[in-house]
Amino acid sequence: MTDVATGPRTDLDLLCINTVRTLAMDAVQQADSGHPGTPMALAPLAYVLWTRHLAYDPAHPDWADRDRFVLSCGHASMLLYAALYLSGYDLTLDDIKKFRQWGSKTPGHPEYGHTPGVETTTGPLGQGTGNAVGMAIAEAILASLFNRPGHDVVNHFTYFIASDGDLMEGISHEACSLAGHLKLGKLIGIYDDNHITIEGDTNLAFSDDTARRFESYGWHVQRVADGNDLNALDQAITAAKKTLDRPSLIIVRTHIGYGAPTKQDSAEAHGAALGVEEVKGAKQNLGWPSREPFHVPAEALDRWRKAGARGREARESWETRVASYRKAFPEAAAELERRLAGALPANWEQALPNLSGDGAQATRAASGKVLNALAPRVPELIGGSADLAGSNNTLLKGTGDFSAGHYSERNFHFGVREHGMGAVMNGIALHRGCIPYGGTFLIFSDYMRPAIRLAALCKLGTIYVFTHDSIGLGEDGPTHQPIEQLAALRAIPGLIVLRPADAGEVVEAWRLAINHRGGPVALALTRQKVAALDRRALAPASGLSRGGYVLAEAKGATKVILIATGSEVELALAARDQLQASGVPTRVVSMPSLELFAAQPHAYRDQVLSPSVHARVSVEAGATQCWQGIIGDRGRALGLDHFGASAPYQTLYQEFGLTVEKVVEAAKQVLADV
């Protein structure tokens, strides 16, 4: 027989492929839930990829120069789990048997950080496609910055598999359009063209000419007419790897549920167990040597494991090249290693500016100053906006535009693609070596929410610069004025939302965002100017790191506590002055992050919000629902539980009752009630 790496399909090849198919059938059947059809269809592709093309080392799944593989259609997770187990990752047959069960390494959809070899969390369709674009961008950045003639220490591909559903989702249009524009030649996508969705044939809702669509994006497009043709798959992938002037898409015609006697090419093979009898019939059709579940032929496992073992040679060869690179370019090597390790530059915080003398300014303007002060000291900080850089203040001075052939520049132009921007940022962060930030108006965080949620789920260090954070943006009106967005973002577990009150808190917000390693951080920033708080008379802005802090203490035994965020802190301080003058000792708490405050020790929270003081008023120009736990049953939340209007922002604050007078009135009413 001819070896798999060089010749036509052999009986052993077929045995290796059918091992993937039967493991998928058996795991889904035992779990009585899952998606068996796509793994059965794509088993030949997985075999060709893992045995002929992917650069990986199962013993070192985080090897820096490995190829990245993203299963964007995460519902087909058994395809990935089978390939990982068979090729030698830290995944056992028992793990396969526990598919979709409590505590297993094989959850229903792949989860980053949970299963060795899984590069990103996928399942919400289209997200993985956007992640793959981000990974390819990160590879291009690092290769451009660190490779030297004769020393290619960053040189790997990013592969993704997309389903019909992935390509129907709008995010795939956003991300793939950007990838084509940037000419990401190390990005290879494979479209599983099986003509089936959960509801039936794709012609129910989908008649795109996918090839022409991707050609219009600037991609290199190939077709493979038969997903079982190993040579055709191999040749297409090889051609894609040689096409380095643009990304590649390989359209592969497959048959969902391949081998199933009655359910092949039907929606019944998509999202449910095949059934005991159908599994038996499929195994018979495939010529499978055993009817027992989870049978793995020794010779098939040996072939897969040998393919995995070859990855060690590739990794060791790369380590040899890195050693040579380190001798020739010690500073560049040290910088690359630092960035890949996620370590921050020494003394980077010294670059944080002192903006106390800059007077009143919008917090978005202060953010731009901080960002530009940090950029020279933190070179891995890269990003831009969804066509709003001038408004978001996200442009970096002293660097050009990131574009095709100019991958070492740091100013990204994501275009009007908020959702795609979010997923691409996730891919950049997942790759490692860069800290991505992305800007838009706070209202449009809704357009990228699924990507933000996955960043939190994956604990990624992405940073969101959300400006125009309230009705304070004024005349653009209710379509652009965020009301529920702060509450919605705060509801995402693991996302830190920061709404700084002044330039001092903006500096501290960026300090925290760069340092934070447990998940993404969102900055909510004003369009309108806010006062520069007199920190000589008030508490230092460093209190932001604890989420909430006593900004101004009461003169006398505290009777009322005013709690505010962002631009409304100004109102709270002015109201305090009036209340103090009328004999009501009043404390003001700045609470830029409810999440950080909730994570503080109970004793600290009691210190800030004295349990004995029940007269509490929160002030925030947004939905009030997230404040109940702070103000208690007897407190009052001033905010907006309705949409805004088009008018100058001063008028809006007056008309909607966000004034010093209204804060004073609310405080006195609450005090009377308690």
Side-chain angles (χ1 to χ4, degrees), residues 443 474-483 643-646:
I443 191 73
E475 291 87 344
D476 276 343
T479 61
H480 283 53
Q481 292 165 0
I483 300 298
F643 295 120
S646 177

Side-chain angles (χ1 to χ4, degrees), residues 14-371:
L14 189 57
L15 192 69
C16 290
I17 291 165
N18 286 340
T19 302
V20 175
R21 287 173 168 148
T22 57
L23 283 175
M25 283 189 278
D26 290 338
V28 173
Q29 189 62 43
Q30 180 153 298
D32 197 26
S33 72
H35 299 74
T38 298
M40 294 166 70
L42 290 176
L45 172 64
Y47 180 60
V48 169
L49 270 176
W50 258 265
T51 61
R52 302 187 188 184
H53 292 284
L54 282 179
Y56 64 98
D57 182 357
H60 295 269
D62 293 330
W63 164 36
D65 205 40
R66 68 193 182 279
D67 287 340
R68 270 60 168 181
F69 171 79
V70 175
L71 184 67
S72 192
C73 46
H75 57 268
S77 56
M78 266 310 305
L79 178 75
L80 180 54
Y81 297 148
L84 294 174
Y85 156 63
L86 292 169
S87 57
Y89 283 82
D90 184 18
L91 206 64
T92 67
L93 190 58
D94 282 341
D95 292 321
I96 300 294
K97 293 177 181 178
K98 294 176 182 176
F99 179 56
R100 289 180 162 236
Q101 304 309 301
W102 175 262
S104 76
K105 289 184 180 179
T106 51
H109 293 82
E111 296 180 22
Y112 174 72
H114 187 78
T115 309
V118 171
E119 299 284 1
T120 181
T121 298
T122 56
L125 292 175
Q127 293 291 333
T129 301
N131 293 168
V133 173
M135 292 175 188
I137 286 173
E139 193 276 345
I141 291 171
L142 296 178
S144 177
L145 288 172
F146 293 102
N147 286 349
R148 301 290 187 271
H151 295 271
D152 286 344
V153 290
V154 181
N155 184 16
H156 53 266
F157 289 90
T158 300
Y159 297 85
F160 69 89
I161 294 178
S163 63
D164 297 298
D166 286 289
L167 298 191
M168 290 184 203
E169 290 284 0
I171 188 174
S172 73
H173 296 253
E174 296 183 19
C176 293
S177 171
L178 180 62
H181 178 74
L182 294 175
K183 301 185 185 303
L184 300 173
K186 294 289 191 67
L187 178 64
I188 300 173
I190 300 161
Y191 166 35
D192 175 28
D193 182 20
N194 64 29
H195 294 196
I196 296 295
T197 63
I198 288 177
E199 293 185 355
D201 195 289
T202 51
N203 64 21
L204 290 169
F206 186 59
S207 55
D208 293 12
D209 187 330
T210 300
R212 292 179 66 185
R213 170 187 156 189
F214 274 79
E215 285 170 351
S216 76
Y217 292 157
W219 288 53
H220 170 238
V221 179
Q222 303 174 79
R223 290 184 182 272
V224 173
D226 180 4
N228 290 309
D229 187 336
L230 303 191
N231 279 347
L233 291 168
D234 181 48
Q235 290 167 11
I237 295 169
T238 298
K241 289 164 69 175
K242 292 179 179 178
T243 305
L244 297 177
D245 62 339
R246 49 190 163 150
S248 289
L249 182 74
I250 304 169
I251 301 173
V252 182
R253 177 70 172 100
T254 65
H255 297 276
I256 194 168
Y258 184 82
T262 67
K263 296 183 178 180
Q264 177 178 314
D265 292 322
S266 77
E268 292 181 84
H270 187 287
L274 295 176
V276 173
E277 294 305 314
E278 190 78 2
V279 169
K280 287 181 179 178
K283 289 181 178 179
Q284 184 174 344
N285 287 345
L286 296 172
W288 192 240
S290 172
R291 300 298 179 265
E292 294 301 314
F294 302 105
H295 173 64
V296 178
E299 57 269 45
L301 183 61
D302 181 64
R303 166 62 66 83
W304 274 95
R305 291 288 163 90
K306 284 180 178 176
R310 284 198 294 271
R312 182 181 66 185
E313 299 172 10
R315 177 184 55 80
E316 290 176 346
S317 173
W318 174 79
E319 289 175 347
T320 299
R321 296 198 307 275
V322 169
S324 174
Y325 177 78
R326 193 178 292 114
K327 290 180 180 179
F329 308 100
E331 291 183 5
E335 177 66 6
L336 175 60
E337 290 167 3
R338 178 191 69 76
R339 289 177 61 160
L340 290 174
L344 290 168
N347 304 317
W348 71 270
E349 293 181 59
Q350 293 178 3
L352 288 164
N354 182 346
L355 303 180
S356 60
D358 288 8
Q361 60 186 307
T363 53
R364 63 168 175 161
S367 173
K369 294 175 183 178
V370 178
L371 189 54

Side-chain angles (χ1 to χ4, degrees), residues 331-512:
E331 291 183 5
E335 177 66 6
L336 175 60
E337 290 167 3
R338 178 191 69 76
R339 289 177 61 160
L340 290 174
L344 290 168
N347 304 317
W348 71 270
E349 293 181 59
Q350 293 178 3
L352 288 164
N354 182 346
L355 303 180
S356 60
D358 288 8
Q361 60 186 307
T363 53
R364 63 168 175 161
S367 173
K369 294 175 183 178
V370 178
L371 189 54
N372 272 282
L374 286 175
R377 190 69 66 89
V378 188
E380 59 265 49
L381 192 60
I382 60 168
S385 293
D387 200 46
L388 289 169
S391 293
N392 299 148
N393 291 80
T394 52
L395 280 175
L396 299 181
K397 300 173 183 177
T399 182
D401 298 329
F402 183 90
S403 58
H406 299 277
Y407 300 131
S408 61
E409 305 294 348
R410 297 168 64 184
N411 283 313
F412 275 71
H413 298 277
F414 290 102
V416 187
R417 302 183 179 103
E418 293 89 356
H419 198 182
M421 176 177 73
V424 166
M425 288 170 61
N426 289 350
I428 293 172
L430 285 158
H431 183 282
R432 298 185 186 175
C434 300
I435 299 175
Y437 66 88
T440 188
F441 292 170
L442 178 58
I443 191 73
F444 300 132
S445 63
D446 286 348
Y447 280 8
M448 58 192 295
R449 183 179 175 84
I452 298 172
R453 183 178 188 273
L454 285 174
L457 183 58
C458 293
K459 297 182 173 61
L460 303 180
T462 49
I463 301 172
Y464 308 109
V465 181
F466 294 138
T467 68
H468 297 58
D469 69 345
S470 73
I471 57 170
L473 67 88
E475 291 87 344
D476 276 343
T479 61
H480 283 53
Q481 292 165 0
I483 300 298
E484 74 278 17
Q485 280 66 33
L486 285 170
L489 290 171
R490 287 167 178 158
I492 298 176
L495 172 66
I496 300 299
V497 180
L498 298 170
R499 189 170 185 244
D502 72 339
E505 284 193 5
V506 169
V507 173
E508 296 305 316
W510 272 105
R511 186 197 307 272
L512 188 146

